[in-house]
Amino acid sequence: DTGVSQDPRHKITKRGQNVTFRCDPISEHNRLYWYRQTLGQGPEFLTYFQNEAQLEKSRLLSDRFSAERPKGSFSTLEIQRTEQGDSAMYLCASRYTENTEAFFGQGTRLTVV
Amino acid sequence: GDSVTQMEGPVTLSEEAFLTINCTYTATGYPSLFWYVQYPGEGLQLLLKATKADDKGSNKGFEATYRKETTSFHLEKGSVQVSDSAVYFCALSDQETSGSRLTFGEGTQLTVNP
């Protein structure tokens, strides 16, 4: 068990481009969460999956954002037509049940120039 | 909605000093409370947790007690070390919300000088 892994660790993109991030949760963890963290702030909830079903989306998740978790394994977060305000650290976390510890990946740092 | 408020930082201490980082919360249900730590270049790690009122979470010399009457979960350590330098986040998880997502405070940067 290697923990939660995220790829890439860093991404620099030009405004208007699309980007996709990947999260591989701990195996057998059926709950997967995406958070966004801006400089000097705590992580903010974006969306949540139970197995392959996306059960909740924050109002922070505009129409330009989409997340998937095919087959209930890895997850992807795509941002279309990136804006400078999308620059942040995107964190993924997984847990076995809602009462167990959530484990976080190291995050993907996105810079939109 | 749920919210967490932490004391403003950054906090700078000398080695072996006493540490307190204040945390208060607002929740509609009966939340579980957590402290997470983020070392430079690393992901968030769970430091300690408490799941009901009057529970005390402890780990690596850090302690925090779930105080329902004051809606607080202050983090303390009797003698900090240089290796404790990191950002500390207070968080809550409320089973009344879908998926028991975590709601975080803004974080407190701790620097411990030798």
Side-chain angles (χ1 to χ4, degrees):
Chain A
D1 188 347
T2 57
V4 178
S5 62
Q6 293 188 244
D7 183 70
R9 292 288 307 279
H10 303 274
K11 178 70 176 178
I12 300 174
T13 191
K14 292 183 178 180
R15 188 174 51 188
Q17 297 295 304
N18 299 344
V19 294
T20 300
F21 312 140
R22 177 181 171 120
C23 171
D24 286 272
I26 293 172
S27 58
E28 298 181 353
H29 280 194
N30 55 35
R31 285 161 168 79
L32 186 148
Y33 305 78
W34 285 98
Y35 292 85
R36 181 172 69 187
Q37 184 179 17
T38 53
L39 199 61
Q41 299 296 315
E44 295 175 294
F45 169 79
L46 291 179
T47 190
Y48 151 65
F49 289 85
Q50 183 171 325
N51 299 312
E52 67 276 7
Q54 187 174 19
L55 296 185
E56 187 176 359
K57 294 191 291 186
S58 163
R59 64 180 185 277
L60 293 176
L61 215 64
S62 76
D63 291 344
R64 297 184 297 105
F65 288 71
S66 63
E68 295 182 341
R69 193 183 181 196
K71 303 179 182 178
S73 56
F74 70 92
S75 177
T76 58
L77 178 67
E78 180 183 16
I79 309 175
Q80 295 182 326
R81 305 181 303 282
T82 52
E83 302 174 355
Q84 285 189 320
D86 297 331
S87 296
M89 177 76 83
Y90 290 84
L91 299 169
C92 177
S94 71
R95 69 202 308 183
Y96 182 59
T97 70
E98 62 186 24
N99 295 317
T100 57
E101 179 181 349
F103 291 83
F104 282 81
Q106 292 182 296
T108 294
R109 181 170 295 284
L110 173 66
T111 302
V112 181
V113 298
Chain B
D2 297 345
S3 66
V4 176
T5 302
Q6 290 182 232
M7 66 183 290
E8 291 185 11
V11 175
T12 301
L13 297 173
S14 297
E15 205 164 23
E16 299 183 2
F18 184 84
L19 169 71
T20 299
I21 300 178
N22 290 337
C23 170
T24 57
Y25 68 90
T26 302
T28 53
Y30 299 93
S32 296
L33 302 175
F34 306 83
W35 278 100
Y36 279 82
V37 59
Q38 189 172 35
Y39 298 103
E42 298 187 15
L44 289 163
Q45 300 174 25
L46 179 64
L47 181 59
L48 54 83
K49 68 176 183 182
T51 58
K52 60 182 187 296
D54 300 325
D55 270 1
K56 177 185 284 189
S58 61
N59 186 26
K60 300 180 181 179
F62 291 89
E63 293 183 340
T65 300
Y66 190 140
R67 300 289 188 197
K68 187 178 179 183
E69 64 275 15
T70 54
T71 61
S72 65
F73 192 55
H74 305 321
L75 182 68
E76 296 182 336
K77 187 175 185 181
S79 177
V80 294
Q81 306 300 311
V82 172
S83 57
D84 294 327
S85 298
V87 182
Y88 292 82
F89 293 94
C90 185
L92 69 81
S93 177
D94 189 343
Q95 290 191 12
E96 301 263 326
T97 61
S98 178
S100 296
R101 65 179 183 268
L102 289 161
T103 300
F104 288 87
E106 57 269 32
T108 301
Q109 172 78 56
L110 170 66
T111 301
V112 181
N113 295 318

